[in-house]
Amino acid sequence: MRKIPKKPLKSNPIKESDPSKIPAAKLPMDIEDKQELLKPYLENSDDIINRTFYINGSELEVQAIFINGVIDDNTFHLHILKPLMLHCETEPLKNRNNELIDIVSHSLITVGRIRKADSLDALIHDIYDGMLVLIFDSSGEYLAIDIHGGPLRSLEEPPVEKAQRGSRDGFIEILDINLALLRRRIRDHRLVVNKTLVGKRTRTPLAIIYIEDIADPGVIEEVNARINQIDIDGPLAAGYIEQFIEDNHYSFFPQIWATERPDKMIAELLEGRVAIMIDGTPQVLFAPSLFVEFLQAPEDYYERPWIGSYVRALRFLAFFIAITFPALYISLMSYQIELIPIDLLVPLAKARKLVPFPVLVEIILMEIIIQVVIETGVRLPGTVGQTIGMVAGIILGQAAISANLATPGVIIVIAITTISTFSLPSSSLALATRILRLPMIMMASIFGLFGFSLGMLIIIAHLASLESFGVPYFAPFAPTRFADLKDSVFRTFLWKMNQRPVSIPGQDKKRQGNNGQGR
Amino acid sequence: MNKYNMAITSKQLIFIIIGTQIATGILSLSRVATENAWQDGWITILLGAMVPLLSLIIIERLGRMFPDKNIGDIMRSLFGRIAGPLILFPFIVYIVYFQSIVTRLFAEVTKLYLLPFTPIPAILLVIVLSVIYIVSRGIKTVARINEFLFYLSLLAFTLVLTTILGGIDFTNILPLFETDIKDIARGALTTSYSFAGIEILLVLYFMVTRKDEVLKAGLTAIGITTSIYLIIVVVCILVFGVDALQKILFPLIVLLKSVQVPVIERLEFFFLVIWLTLGPRPVINMTFAASYALGSMLNIDLRRYFTLIVIVIAIAIFVLALVPRDIFVVFTWSDYAGSLSIIFAIIYPLILLAAALLRGKQVKHQE
């Protein structure tokens, strides 16, 4: 495990270092005093609604405080206001001030998630966390009712992680709904969900999820420790968390795998990983992650192993092409011409003669243009993006060739490279290949095939040096774990994967029994 | 990331030893082996393997006496605070000298076959920079990359062998056991140079997690290296014949270039890439060993200054590699280095072992 503190961090920054901390004082009994106490915290928020009412037929004043639009109005009206204001028996309430809260919550309000508390800081946080808060005259306690509502995105299939087979739902931005999706699929009491808050200002809910008797205690502890050290204003997306807890900040390679697919998440949990789910982003993070995972897709397991293995091997090839193809082309064209078969060399050289730039300039030029086109396509709405891609790809390419600004060879090389980049299932890894290509091009253009080989050596060494939460990132290749190689570039039959991967530390190593096949 | 946790498994030790032993020497090995012993050159390989075997036994015996001390501490406890580091220093100089030759040879081969117009210093520089990067990532990275490259080389090796099988001529190796025993012995002495690298165990012993497996790991490593050498020499003899071998500077490269497969015209390109990836391996391992030895010799905080020490060692290798005028000077140097390698593989650890045994007796006496 990494010795964590790189920068000095306080032990629990969210609670201690905040100067504008709300005092944890007990609430006074009288409702006017309470309002006075609350005033400085609420007066600047015009979207906070204060609804004062009397419980049916009595003098008992109740104030409902909530943020407009965050709670579900229907529930509020039907299950809270209506019973309290209209259909309530007042007899039991009289002269029983001590038990007032309990009577209200136990026999009047017909909502599931309700709890009581009595301190000022909890009250303020509850209001701003989006709860409906009821404060009562002549009681030191208050009720916090969780009736979150408002518009939601539907659980559609994640657009960046499509699968031909498998489930069609995806995570959304609401943590609780994502957790529900998960619980519906793993009905095991040993599935642990620990919720914490991250971000001094945003107070974003974050859940650390693992299966108690599969995940490695060391990894769980490490994940908790790293999450607790995060001291930021607010994590805007899961990528923030990822960048704060990853092992090597200077690497191009993504070291924490993220997915929007519940089925993929379950697979990861069952292999002994720890998942980190954050409110506001549909992506779930996993620790530890391995390099091979970024080249694997859920479909590899849903289809028969032959096609799964074939497609996966293709993806490894595509990864290799995405990093090296332009570099290879340069080193062959500028240094090792003798390695190109003569029949191929002649047309390439003929086209080369017409172009005024060296191969390096030509490749870099085309590479930058195509990168800009990709970036444009991502930003523009669907059909326009496609059109731009067509225009840039076909017309520009064709025009560049006829204007002798680029050889057809270079266009082909760049096109194949770009297509290969997008065949990778992980967009983070695709981004890494887009950057890694450039140093490879430089190495190849200075030292030819030799520079190319050294570049590959350095990339392999770099991959081998990476660790994710104390787990070698490049396993099962280096260090070589033979038991895991059957599910790396190729994958074997499902009924042969009787053990959980050894690359991921964990407790219960046996995944399944021998299913009686393959004898 | 656990960059400074200097621990390796005994399995990784196997790959490191193999990676250190199989250096640039492999390219010219079959010529060297047949120089004196002719078609019985392959016997010299078997005999030459005795040198690392002996060295392994001595170093393992020494290491067992100091299981939790790094090389610098061993030296200090054997020879005192001043003499200890002074005696360790020649070992570091030897590694730097030896690896500068390996680096230079690697650069020369690269220039010869791939980059005829690039100046040697530029090639050396880029090799040294890569080595600095890789070594500064720590022993775990070094161990893992050795492991990965071993399997890669095994794959390439098998492919070459299968493609070459058509071109062999068994009469080339006959008659067996014809050569004079003296010639074979002389040949064995030179081939034993190719096994240089086991000395790295002096530094690495301390890092292996399971000390009881070191001997087994070392034996396995030497066994694998010997078999690879044996196969290469035998195949080279079978393909080229002894007379032709003497006229080829780097028989292995010529062998690779002669590989012919229908449809794929230029397979050698594939092997060249793999060879280039394998080439810097001994330099990486040995630079690590030298840096670690230097750090422990000066008692420097390796957590903080390891990269700096690596840079110092790497610059020393770079400068020394620039000194030889041409490749023939390098070959002369490499003969010296070969003799030195026997001194540092056997005599040097033997002195340490003797001192340790004496010291141990003294300590017992005092008690």
Side-chain angles (χ1 to χ4, degrees):
Chain A
M1 295 289 148
R2 182 183 69 163
K3 298 279 174 295
I4 302 168
K6 283 183 186 164
K7 300 150 200 154
L9 287 164
K10 284 172 191 163
S11 58
N12 204 340
I14 294 180
K15 291 197 178 91
E16 282 169 12
S17 64
D18 194 356
S20 61
K21 200 180 151 231
I22 305 162
K26 287 263 184 293
L27 290 172
M29 300 291 272
D30 195 52
I31 196 160
E32 246 122 67
D33 293 348
K34 279 186 223 167
Q35 280 161 352
E36 200 58 38
L37 207 54
L38 284 176
K39 206 176 167 196
Y41 299 106
L42 303 181
E43 65 184 352
N44 292 329
S45 307
D46 292 338
D47 56 338
I48 287 188
I49 313 280
N50 278 299
R51 171 74 162 90
T52 309
F53 57 91
Y54 293 94
I55 288 184
N56 184 20
S58 75
E59 295 293 298
L60 188 61
E61 190 180 345
V62 182
Q63 192 175 359
I65 309 170
F66 58 91
I67 302 172
N68 193 16
V70 171
I71 63 159
D72 183 28
D73 283 341
N74 252 336
T75 320
F76 177 49
H77 298 154
L78 287 176
H79 297 282
I80 294 158
L81 280 186
K82 208 168 170 187
L84 283 177
M85 290 170 77
L86 304 175
H87 305 299
C88 148
E89 294 286 329
T90 43
E91 276 313 304
L93 287 173
K94 278 182 184 153
N95 302 323
R96 295 178 68 181
N97 286 344
N98 296 337
E99 297 160 36
L100 175 76
I101 294 271
D102 288 335
I103 294 167
V104 170
S105 81
H106 290 170
S107 53
L108 294 172
I109 295 176
T110 51
V111 171
R113 281 162 295 179
I114 184 164
R115 64 182 164 76
K116 59 177 184 176
D118 61 355
S119 68
L120 179 65
D121 59 337
L123 174 58
I124 303 293
H125 284 320
D126 276 339
I127 294 171
Y128 282 103
D129 285 351
M131 306 273 214
L132 170 75
V133 169
L134 294 182
I135 55 176
F136 297 84
D137 197 12
S138 71
S139 171
E141 293 174 316
Y142 71 92
L143 283 179
I145 305 160
D146 188 358
I147 45 168
H148 277 91
L152 291 179
R153 193 163 67 86
S154 63
L155 303 177
E156 63 217 0
E157 184 174 27
V160 289
E161 284 180 80
K162 287 218 155 102
Q164 309 284 320
R165 289 179 74 171
S167 60
R168 289 264 183 272
D169 52 354
F171 289 129
I172 58 164
E173 283 76 6
I174 314 288
L175 178 65
D176 288 335
I177 291 175
N178 293 346
L179 287 175
L181 278 179
L182 183 67
R183 284 280 186 192
R184 281 183 198 188
R185 285 160 200 251
I186 304 186
R187 304 171 186 192
D188 189 344
H189 64 277
R190 286 159 293 193
L191 176 68
V192 178
V193 176
N194 280 334
K195 276 194 189 176
T196 49
L197 295 175
V198 173
K200 274 184 306 210
R201 303 273 170 195
T202 57
R203 289 171 55 81
T204 312
L206 176 145
I208 298 170
I209 306 155
Y210 52 90
I211 297 178
E212 205 174 13
D213 55 346
I214 301 179
D216 179 55
V219 173
I220 298 170
E221 200 180 305
E222 184 74 15
V223 170
N224 275 313
R226 290 192 197 176
I227 297 263
N228 284 336
Q229 284 194 345
I230 299 174
D231 178 17
I232 50 173
D233 268 357
L236 304 190
Y240 272 60
I241 304 288
E242 181 184 336
Q243 287 171 57
F244 275 98
I245 64 174
E246 69 191 355
D247 287 70
N248 188 335
H249 303 288
Y250 299 103
S251 176
F252 289 143
F253 287 96
Q255 292 148 64
I256 294 179
W257 163 249
T259 185
E260 289 183 43
R261 298 184 61 91
D263 50 348
K264 176 81 188 165
M265 174 173 186
I266 289 157
E268 305 274 333
L269 286 177
L270 290 178
E271 285 187 346
R273 290 184 183 81
V274 179
I276 301 154
M277 211 183 232
I278 175 176
D279 196 69
T281 322
Q283 277 101 25
V284 186
L285 308 176
F286 298 99
S289 300
L290 306 182
F291 172 73
V292 278
E293 287 173 64
F294 291 90
L295 292 166
Q296 298 172 348
E299 275 175 305
D300 302 350
Y301 299 97
Y302 299 158
E303 290 291 350
R304 311 180 54 68
W306 310 113
I307 191 72
S309 303
Y310 174 61
V311 173
R312 202 180 264 183
L314 276 184
R315 261 185 239 127
F316 273 82
L317 182 69
F319 174 72
F320 185 73
I321 290 175
I323 291 184
T324 59
F325 203 33
L328 212 52
Y329 182 79
I330 289 187
S331 54
L332 288 185
M333 285 303 282
S334 349
Y335 291 89
Q336 273 74 46
I337 295 181
E338 73 273 13
L339 293 182
I340 307 174
I342 192 77
D343 300 335
L344 184 62
L345 183 63
V346 171
L348 283 178
K350 262 187 193 161
R352 201 66 271 285
K353 265 195 96 174
L354 299 172
V355 175
F357 317 114
V359 193
L360 173 68
V361 176
E362 207 184 328
I363 286 256
I364 295 261
L365 209 66
M366 282 299 130
E367 173 69 16
I368 287 173
I369 289 173
I370 205 87
Q371 294 303 333
V372 174
V373 170
I374 293 168
E375 209 46 33
T376 318
V378 172
R379 303 287 155 238
L380 286 174
T383 41
V384 184
Q386 283 172 15
T387 319
I388 290 283
M390 295 283 269
V391 170
I394 296 172
I395 300 180
L396 257 185
Q398 200 55 49
I401 292 171
S402 3
N404 286 333
L405 292 175
T407 55
V410 166
I411 302 275
I412 293 171
V413 166
I414 294 291
I416 291 178
T417 314
T418 313
I419 293 167
S420 300
T421 311
F422 288 102
S423 74
L424 303 179
S426 159
S427 57
S428 314
L429 191 65
L431 291 175
T433 61
R434 276 162 74 178
I435 300 181
L436 270 176
R437 212 175 291 154
L438 297 174
M440 284 301 286
I441 289 175
M442 294 317 291
M443 284 291 270
S445 67
I446 303 173
F447 293 103
L449 216 46
F450 170 68
F452 172 82
S453 301
L454 272 188
M456 283 312 288
L457 181 67
I458 289 176
I459 290 177
I460 293 171
H462 176 73
L463 279 170
S465 78
L466 289 179
E467 290 194 348
S468 177
F469 290 82
V471 175
Y473 181 67
F474 202 37
F477 303 121
T480 317
R481 313 251 201 247
F482 285 102
D484 286 359
L485 280 178
K486 64 179 181 226
D487 184 17
S488 52
V489 182
F490 302 100
R491 87 154 179 88
T492 178
F493 302 97
L494 282 180
W495 44 263
K496 269 197 174 175
M497 301 180 187
N498 287 337
Q499 304 288 321
R500 288 181 221 285
V502 289
S503 308
I504 309 286
Q507 302 176 43
D508 177 22
K509 276 291 155 205
K510 189 170 186 288
R511 171 154 39 194
Q512 61 196 17
N514 185 359
N515 292 320
Q517 294 186 54
R519 266 170 299 181
Chain B
M1 214 194 78
N2 211 340
K3 188 162 133 188
Y4 303 103
N5 183 354
M6 300 283 186
I8 51 173
T9 62
S10 50
K11 195 175 136 204
Q12 286 172 326
L13 181 69
I14 300 177
F15 300 116
I16 294 184
I17 293 178
I18 297 172
T20 318
Q21 284 184 326
I22 302 185
T24 333
I26 196 173
L27 297 178
S28 49
L29 178 68
S30 34
R31 174 170 51 85
V32 173
T34 51
E35 211 163 11
N36 293 307
W38 299 101
Q39 72 270 28
D40 285 339
W42 55 275
I43 304 175
T44 65
I45 301 283
L46 289 178
L47 289 178
M50 295 302 133
V51 173
L53 223 52
L54 194 60
S55 171
L56 170 73
I57 293 165
I58 298 169
I59 297 174
E60 205 270 340
R61 185 76 189 80
L62 175 71
R64 224 189 301 158
M65 300 174 84
F66 306 95
D68 47 2
K69 280 186 178 169
N70 65 30
I71 181 77
D73 289 339
I74 293 177
M75 287 305 203
R76 266 188 290 277
S77 64
L78 283 182
F79 302 106
R81 300 193 61 78
I82 298 159
L86 279 182
I87 294 175
L88 180 57
F89 192 63
F91 180 64
I92 298 167
V93 173
Y94 153 72
I95 293 184
V96 169
Y97 173 68
F98 188 63
Q99 292 312 310
S100 70
I101 295 164
V102 173
T103 319
R104 177 62 187 262
L105 265 179
F106 183 61
E108 289 283 356
V109 173
T110 308
K111 187 177 164 70
L112 199 60
Y113 289 97
L114 288 172
L115 295 169
F117 305 113
T118 312
I120 283 283
I123 301 177
L124 282 175
L125 187 69
V126 69
I127 298 173
V128 164
L129 286 178
S130 323
V131 167
I132 289 177
Y133 173 74
I134 296 168
V135 174
S136 66
R137 309 289 293 178
I139 183 66
K140 286 199 166 175
T141 306
V142 172
R144 284 173 197 160
I145 196 161
N146 269 288
E147 193 173 359
F148 185 78
L149 293 182
F150 172 73
Y151 290 118
L152 188 70
S153 60
L154 210 59
L155 196 75
F157 191 60
T158 327
L159 273 172
V160 174
L161 281 185
T162 45
T163 51
I164 231 96
L165 283 179
I168 58 176
D169 179 3
F170 276 102
T171 54
N172 277 335
I173 204 164
L174 299 173
L176 294 173
F177 309 116
E178 269 284 286
T179 325
D180 188 32
I181 193 82
K182 262 187 203 161
D183 286 334
I184 290 186
R186 201 149 8 108
L189 198 66
T190 39
T191 49
S192 73
Y193 300 168
S194 305
F195 286 96
I198 189 79
E199 312 82 272
I200 201 172
L201 193 61
L202 271 176
V203 179
L204 293 187
Y205 187 90
F206 155 73
M207 300 170 193
V208 182
T209 44
R210 286 192 57 182
K211 315 279 187 216
D212 54 322
E213 287 179 344
V214 170
L215 195 62
K216 213 174 95 192
L219 288 176
T220 318
I222 294 172
I224 293 174
T225 312
T226 313
S227 0
I228 291 177
Y229 281 176
L230 206 57
I231 294 170
I232 286 179
V233 169
V234 169
V235 166
C236 280
I237 294 175
L238 288 179
V239 172
F240 296 118
V242 180
D243 293 323
L245 266 182
Q246 295 310 310
K247 299 186 179 69
I248 305 172
L249 194 55
F250 298 117
L252 189 63
I253 292 188
V254 179
L255 186 73
L256 290 180
K257 284 204 156 213
S258 69
V259 170
Q260 274 185 348
V261 177
V263 185
I264 309 168
E265 212 164 323
R266 294 277 185 165
L267 201 65
E268 87 221 42
F269 142 79
F270 174 66
F271 298 120
L272 270 176
V273 170
I274 291 180
W275 148 248
L276 288 170
T277 323
L278 295 179
R281 205 162 46 156
V283 190
I284 293 168
N285 297 345
M286 280 305 215
T287 307
F288 175 82
S291 312
Y292 192 85
L294 185 64
S296 68
M297 180 184 112
L298 302 173
N299 229 344
I300 295 172
D301 180 12
L302 286 173
R303 274 169 191 278
R304 293 183 62 187
Y305 299 112
F306 187 63
T307 313
L308 204 68
I309 303 170
V310 174
I311 292 173
V312 169
I313 293 283
I315 289 177
I317 290 176
F318 175 64
V319 171
L320 207 56
L322 284 175
V323 176
R325 215 169 349 98
D326 53 39
I327 194 163
F328 300 104
V329 182
V330 183
F331 278 131
T332 340
W333 279 35
S334 113
D335 285 344
Y336 299 147
S339 322
L340 274 176
S341 81
I342 294 184
I343 293 175
F344 278 94
I346 293 184
I347 298 173
Y348 187 76
L350 212 54
I351 294 171
L352 298 189
L353 184 65
L357 288 172
L358 277 176
R359 204 23 89 92
K361 245 178 213 166
Q362 270 177 15
V363 172
K364 228 174 240 173
H365 198 69
Q366 279 164 7
E367 280 168 358

